[in-house]
Amino acid sequence: MRVRRVDTLDAFEALAPVWHAVATESGQTSPFLSHEWFGCCWRAATPARRPEVLLVEDSAGPVAMVPLVHWTGALHGLPVRFVGMLNAPDTAFADWLIVGRPEPVIEAVLADLASRGDWDVMALNSLPASSLTLKALQAWLPGRHRWQPIRPLSSPYLNTTGTWEEFWKGTSQRFKKTVRNVRNRLAKTGTVSIEEHRAVAPDSPAFADLL
């Protein structure tokens, strides 16, 4: 397998058709894994963060996209050059887009990174627990590279049970007063409409509006 580094925005934009094809064939169609989303992440990167994408190809063509970002920080009080997943503060998760088995892609990517001298530590804490890439890495890394699990990221949320009326009755007077104040302030701003989309395809009008 060959690994090609894409480290300019123009070259990244030119990847759009290939990215869409790999995403579709891999079955990973989340908006957070789309070319458009990573384009937003690329443009939002500060000067201290250097984005790049590793395009992995076999004899038949592209088989993987690995969006990465480089930055400097500290680990145990020592300066460290990190490489991790390209993301933004609003990114729910990030992952490698892989067609077929992840192990050959992992081997090719880590061999390419090992041949470079521009990083010290790889931090992949944006990979979701359900990621096939993460599971393959956990099985492939032992005996090859030093690694350790790090605390996963979590998005806070509130679980409710029963009806809204039952939930509302169980809240405090202070909470009810806060909700009434918010409703009054919203009412003064005019009509507010809310749309809920439970399945958003990367090429849908709803995702275009979001971007």
Side-chain angles (χ1 to χ4, degrees), residues 56 62 65 77 89 92 95 103 105 119 121 142 154-155 162-163 170 180 186 209:
V56 184
M65 298 285 184
D95 206 345
E103 290 81 5
V105 172
W119 66 283
V121 173
S154 60
S155 297
T163 65
R180 286 194 295 268
L186 284 174
D209 290 342

Side-chain angles (χ1 to χ4, degrees), residues 82-205:
F82 289 96
V83 59
M85 298 300 300
L86 176 61
N87 56 24
D90 294 322
T91 301
F93 63 88
D95 206 345
W96 301 13
L97 289 131
I98 300 176
V99 176
R101 294 176 57 247
E103 290 81 5
V105 172
I106 290 172
E107 184 171 0
V109 167
L110 292 185
D112 178 78
L113 289 171
S115 69
R116 297 163 53 173
D118 60 350
W119 66 283
D120 305 305
V121 173
M122 173 178 280
L124 300 176
N125 57 326
S126 296
L127 294 174
S130 60
S131 167
L132 295 179
T133 303
L134 176 60
K135 294 175 182 178
L137 277 166
Q138 291 172 334
W140 188 88
L141 284 171
R144 292 183 171 92
H145 298 277
R146 294 183 60 186
W147 74 286
Q148 66 180 24
I150 56 179
R151 186 171 60 185
L153 298 176
S154 60
S155 297
Y157 59 92
L158 174 66
N159 276 329
T160 62
T161 59
T163 65
W164 171 254
E165 289 73 19
E166 292 170 337
F167 170 75
W168 180 254
K169 289 179 181 178
T171 59
S172 66
Q173 290 300 318
R174 182 177 180 181
F175 179 84
K176 291 183 174 71
K177 181 179 179 181
T178 300
V179 172
R180 286 194 295 268
N181 288 339
V182 171
R183 284 176 175 170
N184 292 335
R185 294 171 73 176
L186 284 174
K188 294 177 181 178
T189 64
T191 302
V192 177
S193 62
I194 299 175
E195 295 181 9
E196 180 181 7
H197 299 269
R198 300 203 172 197
V200 181
D203 58 351
S204 67

Side-chain angles (χ1 to χ4, degrees), residues 2-12 15 42 50-57 64-70 83 109 111-119:
R2 302 179 302 277
V3 178
R4 179 161 62 92
R5 192 187 323 175
V6 175
D7 55 9
T8 67
L9 182 57
D10 288 343
F12 171 80
L15 279 179
W42 192 300
R50 177 168 55 87
E52 70 174 27
V53 170
L54 299 183
L55 170 61
V56 184
E57 302 171 295
M65 298 285 184
V66 183
L68 301 174
V69 65
H70 295 255
V83 59
V109 167
D112 178 78
L113 289 171
S115 69
R116 297 163 53 173
D118 60 350
W119 66 283

